Every structure is written in C-alpha cells, then in structure tokens.
Amino acid sequence: EETECVITITVETPAPVFIAEEPIHVEVIPLNDVPVISNLNPPWETFENVTKEFTFSVKDVDGDKLSVFVESTSDLIEKITLMNVTNNQVTPTDPSVPVQIRVEIQPVANRFGDADITIRVSDEIPPDVVQTVPFTIIQNGCPTIDQIDDRTINKSEVVEEILTLIDSEGGLLTIT
C-alpha cells in the first residue's frame, strides 16, 4: 500500500532557520505471520500391517492459502495420504479457525520400529513451518492360549474344556 506523508527537515545554521517540506512516497510492507501447526498429539503409533489415520490442525492468521506436505524418508513407511486436502492445498475460510487435516499412514508390511513423520506447511512466503512427529510401528505379537494339560480319554468320551485366548494388541481372534 502506498501513502503520502510529509517529512519536515529542519536545518539549524547561524543564518535564519530554513524549513523544507517535500512529499515522499512510503511503501508499507505488511509482516507475514507464519502458519501454525497444532493438535499433533504425539506420539503417533500403529501396529505392523495396520494403516491408521491421524489428525492435526493448521492455521494462518493472514488467511493465506496453505500448502501442506506430510512426508517420511523412513523405509518403514509405505504410503502417506492427505485425506481431505486436494493437491496439497488448503484455503482457510476463517483465518481465526484452524483447519483440521486428516492423514493416513500405511506402514510397510511385516516391518516394525520407529520412524519420523515430517509435516511442512507453507503460505508461499518463507519461512515454511516444519514439525517432526515420532511414529512407532509396534510389532503385532502372536495371540496366546491357555496351556492344555495332557490327558487320556476313551474313544467315545466327550471332553469339554474352557480355553482363554488373548491377543495382547486387542485384535479380533478367529478360532477354527
């Protein structure tokens, strides 16, 4: 935005005082507030072979269009998908209200361990905002069953046994 203002320059000399007024143009450059990433709620984790969705929020008080990128260089991550963002772009409808971003993370099959997920948000004016979220892929352990004691039974005898099956991760168990 351009505006005109008057700057008065006074020069004091032994002679009479001279006052000169000259219009100059002043360009006001507004400051850009960087975007904000919030509501990450780390740590993010899932079990091996289980794709999981996470959410976080982005906000830009200037109301700028935001570019959102979620990436990982880890070989434990198969795929990262932004669920509600098109072409990595989101435009806040109200700058005071954060926009919730949904991201789906698919780990590589049959692998587990720790990885970093990097979230980068830009409003096209540097600097970008970058946050790293720890991501843990937990090994999906085998279910356990109570020990069945050895016994001898007759050919026509019916045996009834109550067994306790446990999946430490809380998964669905199929019994055949």
Side-chain angles (χ1 to χ4, degrees):
E1 174 182 322
E2 286 191 19
T3 186
E4 192 172 292
C5 66
V6 175
I7 296 179
T8 302
I9 301 173
T10 304
V11 180
E12 293 185 29
T13 63
V17 175
F18 293 99
I19 298 176
E21 292 184 6
E22 184 68 34
I24 61 170
H25 292 282
V26 176
E27 183 179 353
V28 178
I29 301 172
L31 292 177
N32 178 58
D33 289 305
V34 296
V36 175
I37 302 170
S38 61
N39 301 321
L40 289 169
N41 303 319
W44 289 0
E45 61 186 25
T46 190
F47 290 103
E48 63 178 304
N49 305 326
V50 177
T51 298
K52 191 162 180 187
E53 186 176 295
F54 301 92
T55 61
F56 62 94
S57 299
V58 296
K59 180 169 100 170
D60 186 81
V61 297
D62 301 322
D64 298 329
K65 177 173 65 174
L66 299 175
S67 297
V68 180
F69 301 91
V70 181
E71 305 161 324
S72 180
T73 57
S74 173
D75 62 352
L76 296 175
I77 304 300
E78 180 74 29
K79 183 177 174 184
I80 297 176
T81 306
L82 288 169
M83 303 302 291
N84 62 330
V85 177
T86 304
N87 297 324
N88 296 83
Q89 301 286 310
V90 62
T91 302
T93 54
D94 179 348
S96 67
V97 177
V99 176
Q100 188 176 65
I101 305 295
R102 293 179 15 245
V103 60
E104 186 177 84
I105 303 175
Q106 177 184 349
V108 170
N110 303 315
R111 302 275 310 275
F112 57 92
D114 295 321
D116 285 333
I117 305 296
T118 301
I119 299 170
R120 182 170 50 91
V121 179
S122 170
D123 64 358
E124 309 303 325
I125 301 172
D128 292 355
V129 175
V130 178
Q131 287 197 8
T132 300
V133 181
F135 183 71
T136 301
I137 303 162
I138 301 165
Q139 183 178 21
N140 191 1
C142 295
T144 58
I145 187 169
D146 281 350
Q147 177 67 34
I148 301 173
D149 294 330
D150 291 338
R151 74 174 72 172
T152 304
I153 58 171
N154 294 326
K155 183 176 180 181
S156 60
E157 183 178 358
V158 175
V159 176
E160 186 176 306
E161 184 80 34
I162 297 175
L163 303 173
T164 302
L165 303 165
I166 299 173
D167 182 6
S168 60
E169 292 88 24
L172 180 65
L173 298 173
T174 303
I175 302 167
T176 54

